[in-house]
Amino acid sequence: MDTKQGFFSSLKHEVVRGLSPGKSRPKSPLRSTSPAASLRRRRKAAHRLSRHEIFLGRSGSLRPAEALSPLKEGPDDTDGEDPKMEGRWAQWMKGQLCRAPSVSCSAYKRSDLRLLLGVLGAPLAPVHVASSEPLPHLCIKDTPIETSSAQYILQQYTAASGGQKLQSSIQNAYAMGKVRMVASEFETANRVIRSRNSSKDAESGGFVLWQMNPDMWYVELALGGSKVHAGCNGRLVWRHTPWLGAHCAKGPVRPLRRALQGLDPKTTASMFANARCTGEKKINNEDCFILKLCADPATLKARSEGPAEIIRHVLFGYFSQKTGLLVHLEDSHLTRIQNNGGDAVYWETTINSFLDDYRPVEGIMIAHSGRSVVTLFRFGDTAMSHTKTRMEEAWTIEEVAFNVPGLSVDCFIPPAELKFGSVSEACELPQDQIIDNAVAACHAKVAALDKLGDGTVIWNTDS
């Protein structure tokens, strides 16, 4: 009897408040036999209504409904004065920070992808190369030993990679491959962040490369849902990235660095035509000759723009003494960026590429796999302002073909939306505000975790 009176009392209360009793009446007497159950249903119904709907009454007038009590965002029983609750709150907060992906970590992930595409997507060689010009004849008389040794090494490399006659018969080339890239490490003055699961964090994609004489090429690389295009029609080099759109590259026409990674031996030999032999070194237990090539001051000045100045760009080629083939390529350039009214910031980018699995394709030796390790080092006047980012790339070549019929100069026409105002290579470097904000937010998260608990917390940048 008491239960029945409680039910009608609750029903009468709802009618007085202007709510329809038909909406709150249970379909079965077993579903609700107490005022508490009816109140729970009323609260659930109020949650489903919008902010405007909860003001509607039976008479048509607008009257504010009863405000709902706030939901708890922490563990239960945290309102007391018990000191043990502090530990429970800390454990709950630590679990929430570790479990839920934050916007800052997504921004950090996006900045990683931009770094990978900007630095590894379509980098260019240091200097202009005229692949139609033959290699200089080997001359020992009145020639420095470093230069004559380099000429001899290039003669051996040309012979080992297929011979000059066969290479000269190639008018165009096509290559298709797969790539995997990952930003594996980020270092500041007081913290080093490493990717704990490189296979999980790595972005997979693929690329297509077309080349045609004289000095025309086009590459398209897709990675992580984004795509980078770059090309050269023999007169200008252009790029298209998701964050900059289509734009011309500063400086003279230069070959694609990816083509030098075992895909185009003729252009590679022409690139090192004016190099010097600087010694020998073991690479993967293989004795190699070292050829060094430096970009001239005129090229560096042409590639600089505004506050961004290219100070140096050096390319090292390691040629096997056993096979004569190129097995390692080291590329390093230094950029100085002068901030408005502030200190200068320096960016040093170093790309180390290892070439493997040489196999003949129509008589030309092509490296069918390889990997690159990139170090992007930023430093300034203060020792505490430096950052260091390490990225890795692995690639495999799926298809290679030469003298493809139907390929014409129309395939290398720049895009219609191309901005003919050239853009410096510094624009491919990460934007400070994007990365610094994301890293600062993640660092704040780590600091919060360190304060909440005494245990060791390992930060993983997965998002």
Side-chain angles (χ1 to χ4, degrees):
M1 188 65 180
D2 294 338
T3 302
K4 186 179 299 185
Q5 289 179 354
F7 170 77
F8 283 106
S9 175
S10 176
L11 181 60
K12 179 180 178 181
H13 178 71
E14 291 182 358
V15 172
V16 172
R17 291 188 51 80
L19 296 178
S20 172
K23 294 182 180 180
S24 61
R25 185 179 296 117
K27 296 181 181 180
S28 171
L30 298 177
R31 291 185 56 184
S32 177
T33 57
S34 66
S38 177
L39 182 60
R40 284 196 296 268
R41 288 197 307 275
R42 184 161 56 86
R43 287 187 175 180
K44 290 181 181 178
H47 273 293
R48 289 194 296 267
L49 295 176
S50 66
R51 184 172 298 179
H52 299 286
E53 289 174 334
I54 62 177
F55 284 90
L56 294 178
R58 287 196 57 174
S59 63
S61 62
L62 297 179
R63 293 186 292 106
E66 180 183 359
L68 299 177
S69 58
L71 298 177
K72 291 185 178 181
E73 298 183 355
D76 295 334
D77 302 329
T78 57
D79 299 330
E81 299 292 333
D82 190 353
K84 295 182 180 179
M85 295 300 103
E86 183 179 357
R88 294 185 58 184
W89 173 264
Q91 293 297 327
W92 179 85
M93 179 65 72
K94 184 184 297 185
Q96 293 297 313
L97 291 176
C98 293
R99 176 180 58 85
S102 65
V103 177
S104 60
C105 284
S106 331
Y108 186 77
K109 193 78 172 180
R110 289 194 299 271
S111 67
D112 280 353
L113 183 60
R114 174 170 173 174
L115 270 178
L116 294 172
L117 291 174
V119 177
L120 283 169
L124 303 180
V127 298
H128 169 71
V129 172
S131 57
S132 57
E133 298 180 0
L135 292 176
H137 294 286
L138 180 60
C139 180
I140 299 178
K141 185 178 180 181
D142 299 329
T143 303
I145 185 63
E146 296 87 355
T147 304
S148 60
S149 299
Q151 293 175 357
Y152 173 78
I153 294 169
L154 291 179
Q155 295 285 352
Q156 298 299 313
Y157 169 69
T158 301
S161 57
Q164 187 173 359
K165 183 178 179 180
L166 182 59
Q167 294 177 9
S168 300
S169 65
I170 296 176
Q171 299 302 317
N172 62 61
Y174 154 81
M176 185 271 288
K178 297 179 180 179
V179 294
R180 285 177 62 85
M181 298 181 184
V182 63
S184 58
E185 183 177 315
F186 183 81
E187 175 184 338
T188 62
N190 53 11
R191 187 177 294 273
V192 177
I193 305 163
R194 294 184 177 89
S195 176
R196 297 181 59 191
N197 194 341
S198 298
S199 59
K200 179 181 178 181
D201 298 336
E203 300 282 357
S204 299
F207 70 92
V208 178
L209 172 63
W210 297 89
Q211 292 181 277
M212 185 174 181
N213 292 333
D215 305 328
M216 290 180 285
W217 53 266
Y218 172 77
V219 66
E220 184 174 308
L221 188 145
L223 185 77
S226 299
K227 187 179 294 185
V228 170
H229 312 259
C232 176
N233 62 355
R235 298 181 300 276
L236 61 88
V237 176
W238 59 270
R239 290 174 179 161
H240 184 284
T241 59
W243 53 91
L244 289 178
H247 59 275
C248 294
K250 289 284 294 182
V253 171
R254 292 173 287 151
L256 184 70
R257 188 188 187 277
R258 190 171 295 278
L260 305 180
Q261 296 172 179
L263 295 176
D264 189 353
K266 184 178 181 181
T267 301
T268 303
S270 301
M271 172 67 61
F272 287 97
N274 297 320
R276 298 181 299 107
C277 180
T278 59
E280 304 177 10
K281 187 177 181 179
K282 276 186 176 291
I283 300 294
N284 294 332
N285 296 324
E286 190 169 355
D287 294 326
C288 298
F289 294 113
I290 306 174
L291 298 190
K292 180 181 179 181
L293 174 67
C294 299
D296 56 278
T299 300
L300 296 177
K301 184 177 181 180
R303 292 167 54 186
S304 302
E305 180 183 27
E309 177 187 2
I310 311 295
I311 297 178
R312 61 170 170 81
H313 195 164
V314 184
L315 183 67
F316 294 91
Y318 295 79
F319 296 83
S320 171
Q321 298 181 9
K322 181 179 179 180
T323 63
L325 298 173
L326 178 67
V327 297
H328 181 47
L329 200 63
E330 182 180 348
D331 186 358
S332 176
H333 70 270
L334 180 65
T335 304
R336 179 181 183 270
I337 301 177
Q338 179 64 52
N339 297 326
N340 294 330
D343 298 331
V345 177
Y346 295 86
W347 288 91
E348 184 177 24
T349 306
T350 303
I351 308 177
N352 283 283
S353 299
F354 300 86
L355 317 180
D356 300 310
D357 193 16
Y358 272 95
R359 284 181 276 165
V361 178
E362 300 181 22
I364 305 296
M365 296 298 292
I366 300 297
H368 281 71
S369 66
R371 59 186 179 90
S372 294
V373 178
V374 183
T375 301
L376 188 61
F377 185 59
R378 186 191 71 172
F379 58 94
D381 294 337
T382 60
M384 299 298 292
S385 65
H386 82 270
T387 62
K388 183 179 180 181
T389 305
R390 177 186 171 94
M391 296 169 280
E392 299 179 21
E393 176 197 41
W395 73 88
T396 56
I397 303 302
E398 302 291 328
E399 295 179 4
V400 177
F402 300 110
N403 295 328
V404 180
L407 189 64
S408 66
V409 294
D410 296 337
C411 301
F412 303 92
I413 297 177
E417 67 274 15
L418 181 66
K419 301 175 184 178
F420 285 94
S422 300
V423 175
S424 170
E425 295 171 47
C427 293
E428 302 295 345
L429 296 174
Q431 298 295 319
D432 291 351
Q433 62 271 20
I434 296 177
I435 292 184
D436 288 348
N437 290 346
V439 173
C442 289
H443 283 178
K445 175 187 290 188
V446 175
L449 291 176
D450 290 340
K451 291 180 180 179
L452 290 174
D454 298 332
T456 303
V457 178
I458 302 176
W459 178 31
N460 189 4
T461 58
D462 293 346
S463 60

